[in-house]
Amino acid sequence: MYITSRGLIGAPRYRLFQARVHDCRARAAVLAATISTGSVDSADAGGATDSAAKSAVLKAINERLDGFGVGGQVVWRLLPQRAVIAIPLSKLAAAWRALHQVETQLLRLEGPEEITLRSLALRLRLASDPDPVNNSLGTQLAAHAGDAPAERALLIAATEDLHRQEDDDFEREYEHQRIALWLALTGIAAVLLLGIALDHRLSMLLGGLGGFLSPLIGVMRSQRPTSWGVLVLAPVGGALAAPGGLLLVRMLADPELNLLGQVFLHNSWGAPAQPISLAVALLFGFSGTLFSRLALAATGQLVPTAGRTARPGPPSRP
Protein backbone atom coordinates (compact mmCIF):
# COMPACT_ATOMS: atom_id res chain seq x y z
CA MET A 1 0.00 0.00 0.00
CA TYR A 2 2.71 2.46 1.01
CA ILE A 3 4.99 1.62 -1.91
CA THR A 4 2.12 1.85 -4.40
CA SER A 5 0.73 5.19 -3.23
CA ARG A 6 4.00 7.00 -2.47
CA GLY A 7 6.48 5.29 -4.78
CA LEU A 8 4.91 3.73 -7.87
CA ILE A 9 2.22 6.42 -8.28
CA GLY A 10 3.85 9.53 -6.86
CA ALA A 11 7.50 9.07 -7.82
CA PRO A 12 7.21 9.32 -11.66
CA ARG A 13 5.08 12.43 -11.41
CA TYR A 14 7.53 13.92 -8.91
CA ARG A 15 10.50 13.22 -11.19
CA LEU A 16 8.73 15.11 -13.96
CA PHE A 17 8.04 17.90 -11.48
CA GLN A 18 11.75 18.11 -10.67
CA ALA A 19 12.63 18.34 -14.37
CA ARG A 20 10.14 21.18 -14.87
CA VAL A 21 11.56 23.04 -11.86
CA HIS A 22 15.07 22.78 -13.34
CA ASP A 23 13.72 24.07 -16.66
CA CYS A 24 12.13 27.05 -14.89
CA ARG A 25 15.42 27.79 -13.12
CA ALA A 26 17.23 27.81 -16.47
CA ARG A 27 14.63 30.16 -17.96
CA ALA A 28 14.89 32.42 -14.92
CA ALA A 29 18.69 32.55 -15.24
CA VAL A 30 18.43 33.55 -18.90
CA LEU A 31 15.89 36.22 -18.04
CA ALA A 32 18.10 37.55 -15.24
CA ALA A 33 20.99 37.97 -17.67
CA THR A 34 18.72 39.63 -20.23
CA ILE A 35 17.24 42.02 -17.68
CA SER A 36 20.65 43.01 -16.31
CA THR A 37 21.95 43.65 -19.83
CA GLY A 38 18.87 45.70 -20.69
CA SER A 39 19.18 47.82 -17.57
CA VAL A 40 22.79 48.67 -18.45
CA ASP A 41 21.93 49.52 -22.05
CA SER A 42 18.84 51.59 -21.20
CA ALA A 43 19.63 55.25 -20.64
CA ASP A 44 16.15 56.61 -19.88
CA ALA A 45 14.44 56.41 -16.52
CA GLY A 46 11.48 54.44 -17.92
CA GLY A 47 13.68 51.59 -19.08
CA ALA A 48 15.47 51.46 -15.72
CA THR A 49 12.14 51.38 -13.88
CA ASP A 50 10.86 48.58 -16.12
CA SER A 51 14.05 46.56 -15.52
CA ALA A 52 13.72 47.07 -11.77
CA ALA A 53 10.13 45.82 -11.84
CA LYS A 54 11.11 42.77 -13.87
CA SER A 55 13.98 42.08 -11.47
CA ALA A 56 11.58 42.19 -8.53
CA VAL A 57 9.20 39.74 -10.25
CA LEU A 58 12.11 37.46 -11.14
CA LYS A 59 13.31 37.53 -7.54
CA ALA A 60 9.86 36.43 -6.35
CA ILE A 61 9.89 33.62 -8.94
CA ASN A 62 13.28 32.37 -7.75
CA GLU A 63 12.08 32.42 -4.14
CA ARG A 64 9.06 30.35 -5.15
CA LEU A 65 11.27 27.86 -6.97
CA ASP A 66 13.53 27.60 -3.93
CA GLY A 67 10.47 26.90 -1.81
CA PHE A 68 9.70 23.70 -3.71
CA GLY A 69 12.59 22.01 -1.91
CA VAL A 70 11.17 22.87 1.51
CA GLY A 71 9.11 20.27 3.33
CA GLY A 72 6.03 22.49 3.39
CA GLN A 73 5.71 22.36 -0.42
CA VAL A 74 6.56 18.77 -1.37
CA VAL A 75 7.49 16.32 1.35
CA TRP A 76 9.97 13.87 -0.10
CA ARG A 77 12.63 11.74 1.46
CA LEU A 78 14.47 8.54 0.66
CA LEU A 79 13.86 5.89 3.28
CA PRO A 80 16.89 3.55 3.34
CA GLN A 81 15.02 0.78 5.13
CA ARG A 82 12.16 0.61 2.64
CA ALA A 83 13.86 1.99 -0.47
CA VAL A 84 10.84 4.06 -1.48
CA ILE A 85 10.34 7.77 -2.08
CA ALA A 86 7.62 9.12 0.19
CA ILE A 87 5.55 11.62 -1.78
CA PRO A 88 2.05 12.56 -0.55
CA LEU A 89 -0.20 12.89 -3.60
CA SER A 90 -2.15 15.84 -2.17
CA LYS A 91 0.99 17.94 -1.65
CA LEU A 92 2.31 16.92 -5.05
CA ALA A 93 -0.88 18.15 -6.74
CA ALA A 94 -0.64 21.48 -4.88
CA ALA A 95 3.01 21.84 -5.90
CA TRP A 96 2.12 21.31 -9.56
CA ARG A 97 -0.44 24.13 -9.39
CA ALA A 98 2.18 26.43 -7.87
CA LEU A 99 4.71 25.44 -10.54
CA HIS A 100 2.23 26.20 -13.30
CA GLN A 101 1.75 29.68 -11.85
CA VAL A 102 5.53 30.18 -11.95
CA GLU A 103 5.63 29.14 -15.60
CA THR A 104 2.89 31.65 -16.39
CA GLN A 105 4.82 34.42 -14.66
CA LEU A 106 7.90 33.55 -16.72
CA LEU A 107 5.85 34.01 -19.90
CA ARG A 108 5.11 37.59 -18.83
CA LEU A 109 8.84 38.37 -18.66
CA GLU A 110 10.19 36.63 -21.75
CA GLY A 111 11.09 38.50 -24.92
CA PRO A 112 9.09 38.67 -28.17
CA GLU A 113 11.23 36.09 -29.96
CA GLU A 114 10.79 33.53 -27.20
CA ILE A 115 7.06 34.25 -27.07
CA THR A 116 6.81 33.64 -30.82
CA LEU A 117 8.59 30.31 -30.53
CA ARG A 118 6.42 29.16 -27.62
CA SER A 119 3.28 30.29 -29.43
CA LEU A 120 4.27 28.27 -32.51
CA ALA A 121 5.02 25.19 -30.38
CA LEU A 122 1.66 25.51 -28.61
CA ARG A 123 -0.19 25.89 -31.91
CA LEU A 124 1.40 22.69 -33.21
CA ARG A 125 0.41 20.92 -30.01
CA LEU A 126 -3.19 22.15 -30.12
CA ALA A 127 -3.54 21.28 -33.81
CA SER A 128 -3.39 17.56 -32.95
CA ASP A 129 -5.60 17.84 -29.86
CA PRO A 130 -8.96 16.04 -30.25
CA ASP A 131 -10.70 18.55 -27.99
CA PRO A 132 -12.47 21.18 -30.20
CA VAL A 133 -12.07 23.83 -27.48
CA ASN A 134 -8.31 23.42 -27.56
CA ASN A 135 -8.39 23.51 -31.37
CA SER A 136 -10.14 26.88 -31.20
CA LEU A 137 -7.38 28.18 -28.91
CA GLY A 138 -4.82 27.18 -31.53
CA THR A 139 -6.85 28.96 -34.21
CA GLN A 140 -6.96 32.16 -32.17
CA LEU A 141 -3.21 32.01 -31.60
CA ALA A 142 -2.61 31.62 -35.32
CA ALA A 143 -4.93 34.56 -36.10
CA HIS A 144 -2.87 36.93 -33.88
CA ALA A 145 0.56 35.74 -34.94
CA GLY A 146 2.85 38.73 -35.39
CA ASP A 147 0.86 40.99 -33.05
CA ALA A 148 3.21 40.83 -30.04
CA PRO A 149 0.88 42.10 -27.23
CA ALA A 150 -2.13 40.08 -28.38
CA GLU A 151 -0.03 37.00 -29.06
CA ARG A 152 1.51 37.16 -25.58
CA ALA A 153 -1.90 37.62 -23.94
CA LEU A 154 -3.43 34.70 -25.86
CA LEU A 155 -0.42 32.51 -25.12
CA ILE A 156 -0.70 33.20 -21.40
CA ALA A 157 -4.47 32.61 -21.41
CA ALA A 158 -4.16 29.36 -23.39
CA THR A 159 -1.33 28.12 -21.18
CA GLU A 160 -3.30 28.85 -18.02
CA ASP A 161 -6.34 27.00 -19.39
CA LEU A 162 -4.26 23.97 -20.37
CA HIS A 163 -2.58 23.97 -16.96
CA ARG A 164 -5.97 24.10 -15.28
CA GLN A 165 -7.17 21.13 -17.30
CA GLU A 166 -4.02 19.18 -16.49
CA ASP A 167 -4.25 19.95 -12.77
CA ASP A 168 -7.94 19.02 -12.61
CA ASP A 169 -7.32 15.73 -14.41
CA PHE A 170 -4.44 14.73 -12.17
CA GLU A 171 -6.23 15.75 -8.98
CA ARG A 172 -9.24 13.70 -10.07
CA GLU A 173 -6.97 10.75 -10.80
CA TYR A 174 -5.21 11.14 -7.45
CA GLU A 175 -8.58 11.21 -5.69
CA HIS A 176 -9.63 7.96 -7.37
CA GLN A 177 -6.35 6.37 -6.41
CA ARG A 178 -6.68 7.48 -2.79
CA ILE A 179 -10.21 6.04 -2.65
CA ALA A 180 -8.98 2.76 -4.13
CA LEU A 181 -6.08 2.58 -1.67
CA TRP A 182 -8.41 3.29 1.26
CA LEU A 183 -10.78 0.54 0.09
CA ALA A 184 -7.84 -1.82 -0.27
CA LEU A 185 -6.62 -1.04 3.25
CA THR A 186 -10.11 -1.58 4.69
CA GLY A 187 -10.44 -4.78 2.67
CA ILE A 188 -7.16 -6.11 4.02
CA ALA A 189 -8.40 -5.54 7.57
CA ALA A 190 -11.65 -7.34 6.70
CA VAL A 191 -9.69 -10.23 5.17
CA LEU A 192 -7.65 -10.64 8.35
CA LEU A 193 -10.72 -10.56 10.60
CA LEU A 194 -12.81 -12.90 8.44
CA GLY A 195 -9.93 -15.31 7.93
CA ILE A 196 -9.46 -15.67 11.66
CA ALA A 197 -13.15 -15.65 12.64
CA LEU A 198 -14.49 -17.95 9.90
CA ASP A 199 -11.43 -20.18 9.46
CA HIS A 200 -11.39 -19.57 5.70
CA ARG A 201 -7.79 -18.49 5.47
CA LEU A 202 -6.87 -20.97 2.74
CA SER A 203 -9.88 -20.14 0.56
CA MET A 204 -9.18 -16.42 0.98
CA LEU A 205 -5.58 -17.02 -0.04
CA LEU A 206 -6.74 -18.76 -3.20
CA GLY A 207 -9.25 -15.97 -3.86
CA GLY A 208 -6.51 -13.37 -3.50
CA LEU A 209 -4.37 -15.39 -5.90
CA GLY A 210 -7.21 -15.39 -8.41
CA GLY A 211 -7.64 -11.64 -8.01
CA PHE A 212 -3.93 -11.19 -8.70
CA LEU A 213 -3.99 -13.46 -11.76
CA SER A 214 -6.91 -11.65 -13.41
CA PRO A 215 -5.12 -8.33 -14.19
CA LEU A 216 -1.85 -10.21 -14.70
CA ILE A 217 -3.34 -12.27 -17.52
CA GLY A 218 -4.91 -9.12 -18.93
CA VAL A 219 -1.49 -7.45 -19.07
CA MET A 220 0.08 -10.54 -20.65
CA ARG A 221 -2.64 -10.49 -23.32
CA SER A 222 -1.80 -6.81 -24.01
CA GLN A 223 -5.02 -5.55 -22.47
CA ARG A 224 -4.29 -2.22 -20.85
CA PRO A 225 -5.32 -2.17 -17.16
CA THR A 226 -7.86 0.44 -16.14
CA SER A 227 -5.85 2.09 -13.38
CA TRP A 228 -3.67 1.51 -10.36
CA GLY A 229 -6.86 1.20 -8.34
CA VAL A 230 -7.88 -1.93 -10.23
CA LEU A 231 -4.46 -3.51 -9.75
CA VAL A 232 -4.50 -2.79 -6.01
CA LEU A 233 -8.11 -3.76 -5.37
CA ALA A 234 -8.17 -6.95 -7.46
CA PRO A 235 -6.35 -9.27 -4.96
CA VAL A 236 -8.23 -7.82 -1.98
CA GLY A 237 -11.57 -8.11 -3.75
CA GLY A 238 -10.73 -11.66 -4.80
CA ALA A 239 -9.91 -12.64 -1.22
CA LEU A 240 -13.23 -11.21 -0.01
CA ALA A 241 -15.23 -12.73 -2.86
CA ALA A 242 -13.96 -16.26 -2.19
CA PRO A 243 -15.79 -17.01 1.10
CA GLY A 244 -18.85 -15.09 -0.05
CA GLY A 245 -18.94 -17.13 -3.23
CA LEU A 246 -18.60 -20.38 -1.30
CA LEU A 247 -21.52 -19.34 0.89
CA LEU A 248 -23.64 -18.57 -2.19
CA VAL A 249 -22.70 -21.93 -3.71
CA ARG A 250 -23.77 -23.67 -0.49
CA MET A 251 -27.08 -21.82 -0.56
CA LEU A 252 -27.84 -22.64 -4.20
CA ALA A 253 -26.79 -26.28 -3.68
CA ASP A 254 -29.13 -26.71 -0.72
CA PRO A 255 -31.64 -29.56 -1.26
CA GLU A 256 -34.55 -27.14 -0.96
CA LEU A 257 -33.24 -25.16 -3.95
CA ASN A 258 -31.11 -27.83 -5.65
CA LEU A 259 -29.74 -25.57 -8.37
CA LEU A 260 -26.11 -26.70 -8.32
CA GLY A 261 -26.28 -30.33 -7.29
CA GLN A 262 -24.90 -32.48 -4.47
CA VAL A 263 -21.27 -32.03 -5.51
CA PHE A 264 -21.22 -28.39 -4.46
CA LEU A 265 -23.29 -29.14 -1.35
CA HIS A 266 -20.36 -31.00 0.21
CA ASN A 267 -17.59 -28.91 -1.39
CA SER A 268 -18.39 -25.32 -0.54
CA TRP A 269 -18.89 -23.39 2.69
CA GLY A 270 -18.78 -26.32 5.10
CA ALA A 271 -15.58 -27.81 3.64
CA PRO A 272 -13.37 -24.92 2.49
CA ALA A 273 -10.21 -27.06 2.47
CA GLN A 274 -11.50 -29.52 -0.15
CA PRO A 275 -9.89 -29.30 -3.62
CA ILE A 276 -13.17 -28.43 -5.33
CA SER A 277 -13.85 -25.70 -2.75
CA LEU A 278 -10.38 -24.24 -3.26
CA ALA A 279 -10.85 -24.31 -7.03
CA VAL A 280 -14.21 -22.54 -6.67
CA ALA A 281 -12.59 -19.93 -4.40
CA LEU A 282 -9.88 -19.38 -7.02
CA LEU A 283 -12.53 -18.90 -9.71
CA PHE A 284 -14.47 -16.42 -7.60
CA GLY A 285 -11.29 -14.43 -6.96
CA PHE A 286 -10.40 -14.50 -10.65
CA SER A 287 -13.80 -13.52 -12.04
CA GLY A 288 -15.87 -10.78 -10.46
CA THR A 289 -18.68 -11.43 -12.95
CA LEU A 290 -19.01 -15.00 -11.65
CA PHE A 291 -19.75 -13.70 -8.16
CA SER A 292 -22.24 -11.11 -9.44
CA ARG A 293 -24.07 -13.65 -11.60
CA LEU A 294 -24.32 -16.11 -8.74
CA ALA A 295 -25.53 -13.34 -6.42
CA LEU A 296 -28.22 -12.41 -8.95
CA ALA A 297 -29.25 -16.05 -9.20
CA ALA A 298 -29.53 -16.23 -5.41
CA THR A 299 -31.55 -13.00 -5.36
CA GLY A 300 -33.90 -14.43 -7.97
CA GLN A 301 -34.57 -17.39 -5.69
CA LEU A 302 -35.21 -15.25 -2.62
CA VAL A 303 -37.58 -12.61 -4.04
CA PRO A 304 -40.39 -14.97 -5.20
CA THR A 305 -40.17 -16.89 -1.93
CA ALA A 306 -40.58 -13.71 0.08
CA GLY A 307 -43.51 -12.71 -2.10
CA ARG A 308 -45.25 -16.05 -1.53
CA THR A 309 -44.81 -15.91 2.23
CA ALA A 310 -46.11 -12.35 2.43
CA ARG A 311 -49.16 -12.97 0.21
CA PRO A 312 -52.29 -13.88 2.27
CA GLY A 313 -53.98 -17.15 1.40
CA PRO A 314 -57.60 -17.61 0.31
CA PRO A 315 -60.21 -17.47 3.05
CA SER A 316 -61.24 -20.86 4.37
CA ARG A 317 -64.85 -21.97 3.99
CA PRO A 318 -66.76 -23.19 6.97
Side-chain angles (χ1 to χ4, degrees):
M1 293 286 297
Y2 186 84
I3 291 174
T4 301
S5 62
R6 300 293 181 89
L8 297 179
I9 296 176
R13 185 72 175 158
Y14 179 68
R15 295 305 183 195
L16 180 60
F17 174 81
Q18 282 184 316
R20 294 277 284 271
V21 169
H22 292 321
D23 179 63
C24 288
R25 289 186 184 277
R27 292 169 60 185
V30 173
L31 284 173
T34 304
I35 292 173
S36 61
T37 304
S39 62
V40 172
D41 294 339
S42 61
D44 55 342
T49 303
D50 184 62
S51 299
K54 290 182 178 179
S55 298
V57 174
L58 194 59
K59 181 181 178 182
I61 290 174
N62 286 322
E63 290 177 354
R64 193 58 183 269
L65 291 174
D66 294 335
F68 288 133
V70 182
Q73 294 289 335
V74 179
V75 177
W76 70 280
R77 59 193 179 275
L78 184 63
L79 301 179
Q81 296 85 1
R82 302 180 186 178
V84 61
I85 298 176
I87 306 170
L89 297 181
S90 58
K91 291 189 176 183
L92 183 59
W96 268 103
R97 283 194 178 272
L99 179 61
H100 286 156
Q101 293 177 2
V102 169
E103 292 178 341
T104 303
Q105 292 297 326
L106 288 173
L107 287 176
R108 301 177 188 274
L109 300 178
E110 289 177 333
E113 183 179 356
E114 185 68 22
I115 291 297
T116 302
L117 291 174
R118 292 190 178 276
S119 177
L120 177 59
L122 186 59
R123 291 203 307 269
L124 294 176
R125 172 187 168 186
L126 295 177
S128 59
D129 197 306
D131 192 349
V133 177
N134 293 338
N135 287 141
S136 65
L137 288 176
T139 304
Q140 294 180 25
L141 281 173
H144 292 82
D147 185 1
E151 187 175 19
R152 183 188 297 270
L154 284 173
L155 177 62
I156 293 174
T159 303
E160 287 182 345
D161 186 68
L162 293 175
H163 285 168
R164 180 189 56 79
Q165 295 178 22
E166 180 183 352
D167 292 333
D168 291 344
D169 291 341
F170 275 108
E171 287 179 3
R172 193 178 303 111
E173 180 182 354
Y174 289 158
E175 184 65 24
H176 293 165
Q177 290 167 355
R178 282 194 296 266
I179 292 173
L181 292 171
W182 183 87
L183 290 174
L185 182 61
T186 307
I188 289 174
V191 166
L192 294 176
L193 292 176
L194 292 176
I196 296 174
L198 302 178
D199 196 20
H200 275 256
R201 292 184 290 272
L202 191 56
S203 61
M204 283 187 168
L205 179 62
L206 268 296
L209 177 61
F212 171 76
L213 290 176
S214 179
L216 176 63
I217 292 177
V219 172
M220 293 176 62
R221 295 175 60 184
S222 300
Q223 296 178 359
R224 184 178 180 182
T226 304
S227 65
W228 274 106
V230 174
L231 299 178
V232 173
L233 284 175
V236 180
L240 292 175
L246 290 177
L247 185 60
L248 289 177
V249 168
R250 173 62 181 82
M251 170 189 169
L252 295 177
D254 192 88
E256 295 185 3
L257 297 178
N258 196 22
L259 294 179
L260 296 180
Q262 295 295 319
V263 175
F264 293 101
L265 179 64
H266 303 291
N267 294 275
S268 56
W269 179 260
Q274 296 296 323
I276 295 180
S277 299
L278 295 178
V280 171
L282 180 66
L283 290 177
F284 275 112
F286 182 83
S287 174
T289 56
L290 177 62
F291 181 86
S292 61
R293 289 179 181 178
L294 204 64
L296 290 175
T299 304
Q301 295 299 318
L302 289 176
V303 172
T305 303
R308 286 195 299 268
T309 56
R311 188 182 301 113
S316 59
R317 296 181 179 180

